[in-house]
Amino acid sequence: MIVITGATGALNGATVEHLLKRIPAGQIGVSVRDAAKAQHFADRGVRVRRGSYEDPAALLDSLEGADQVLLVSSNDPGADAVSLHRVGIETAVAAGARRILYTSHQHTGLCSPFIPARHHAATEALLEGSGAAWTSLRNGYYAHSLDWLLGTWHEAGVIATPADGPVSWTERADEAEAAAVILAGERHFDGPVTLTASAAVTFDEIAGLASKVTGRDIRRVVVDDDKWMAEQVAQGTPELMARFQLGFFQAAREGHFAGTGPLLGDLLGHQPRTVRDLLAGRTTA
């Protein structure tokens, strides 16, 4: 059995949907905080059980009989993510899982200015020491993040953010499908595997793309880090979240998200969606 945690979330929920196209529903289980929210999976034959990293006993029950477990990474900036991930890994091992898969991020590193990169690096070290076979899905930076990183560009005609660097913006839906391909055994990977878009672009280039898809002049304005932070907090963003977001720009400037490769497209059987696709979709929506 393949058990997927966090299956009522956007990423792993989509992975379950793609997995249902590849293997029988009876071979799939999901571990979720609220079983009622996963009723649409239960109705199709998926085993649904309650479980979370904060409740190891329930998590162990939800992982019963799992051959493979896909652990979703914590996305709460205020949480002790590594401790939560430790619980997930240790529980998967206790449940007898043959392989643990984990939703990581490209360019992990304990010294990264981007907080999740540090969490992912520490979690991968835990996976390495777990004694189980493991695969870390180092996904490219999720393109839907542009919805809040770009601000009100469509209305204002301006992209005003701190200095950045090239980012291989990658559609979350493509990453979810690739995870399903790997879980279904169509491709086998040990350790870290990087899954990114085929090109990396800067915000200057995104402004140019936005101008083309909208037919308007979208300008790029670089804002000082401290000024941008103050503006975000003044607009109601909690300071912790604003600093979390600033870490993205700082890491991008250092080239942490510039890596690209063909593997994601190979797994999908087609080219991953691009930033231009995303911007065009927002324009026509």
Side-chain angles (χ1 to χ4, degrees):
M1 174 171 280
I2 297 171
V3 177
I4 298 176
T5 67
T8 53
L11 178 63
N12 280 6
T15 296
V16 176
E17 292 290 351
H18 285 291
L19 203 54
L20 281 165
K21 300 173 184 176
R22 289 171 166 81
I23 64 175
Q27 297 177 19
I28 305 170
V30 298
S31 174
V32 295
R33 292 178 181 275
D34 184 348
K37 293 182 178 179
Q39 186 60 45
H40 60 294
F41 289 138
D43 292 342
R44 293 150 72 187
V46 173
R47 189 184 80 180
V48 175
R49 292 187 181 178
R50 186 182 65 82
S52 73
Y53 299 152
E54 292 89 353
D55 188 342
L59 183 62
L60 181 62
D61 177 68
S62 71
L63 301 184
E64 180 188 7
D67 183 52
Q68 295 187 85
V69 173
L70 175 59
L71 298 176
V72 68
S73 53
S74 171
N75 61 2
D76 181 354
D80 183 352
V82 179
S83 293
L84 294 175
H85 299 161
R86 183 190 298 274
V87 171
I89 293 167
E90 292 178 348
T91 306
V93 170
R98 176 181 59 83
R99 177 173 295 275
I100 303 171
L101 296 94
Y102 168 73
T103 59
S104 186
H105 199 284
Q106 71 177 126
H107 205 291
T108 65
L110 294 175
C111 296
S112 174
F114 186 55
I115 294 172
R118 305 200 292 266
H119 295 165
H120 293 315
T123 300
E124 288 180 358
L126 293 175
L127 286 164
E128 178 67 29
S130 70
W134 61 281
T135 304
S136 182
L137 306 174
R138 289 183 174 177
N139 294 337
Y141 209 98
Y142 298 135
H144 70 272
S145 302
L146 285 168
D147 286 343
W148 46 269
L149 286 171
L150 293 178
T152 59
W153 71 271
H154 198 275
E155 296 79 9
V158 175
I159 295 175
T161 67
D164 67 312
V167 177
S168 53
W169 298 103
T170 311
E171 273 287 348
R172 182 170 54 191
D174 287 340
E175 302 284 22
E177 183 176 356
V181 170
I182 294 171
L183 283 164
E186 296 173 32
R187 293 284 297 273
H188 179 78
F189 300 96
D190 288 310
V193 55
T194 301
L195 304 169
T196 67
S198 56
V201 297
T202 65
F203 274 24
D204 283 341
E205 292 169 306
I206 289 176
L209 290 170
S211 297
K212 290 179 181 178
V213 300
T214 62
R216 299 163 50 206
D217 180 26
I218 306 298
R219 295 185 297 114
R220 166 77 168 113
V221 175
V222 176
V223 182
D224 174 79
D225 286 3
D226 291 338
K227 180 181 179 182
W228 183 84
M229 272 284 300
E231 289 173 350
Q232 297 305 301
V233 173
Q235 293 167 11
T237 301
E239 184 174 350
L240 180 64
M241 177 58 73
R243 291 197 179 280
F244 174 89
Q245 294 174 2
L246 181 61
F248 156 78
F249 292 103
Q250 294 170 334
R253 291 200 290 261
E254 296 177 10
H256 291 201
F257 309 129
T260 62
L263 181 56
L264 179 58
D266 291 345
L267 291 172
L268 298 175
H270 59 79
Q271 282 297 307
R273 277 163 281 197
T274 67
V275 171
R276 185 186 181 95
D277 296 332
L278 177 76
L279 295 174
R282 296 297 183 272
T283 301
T284 58

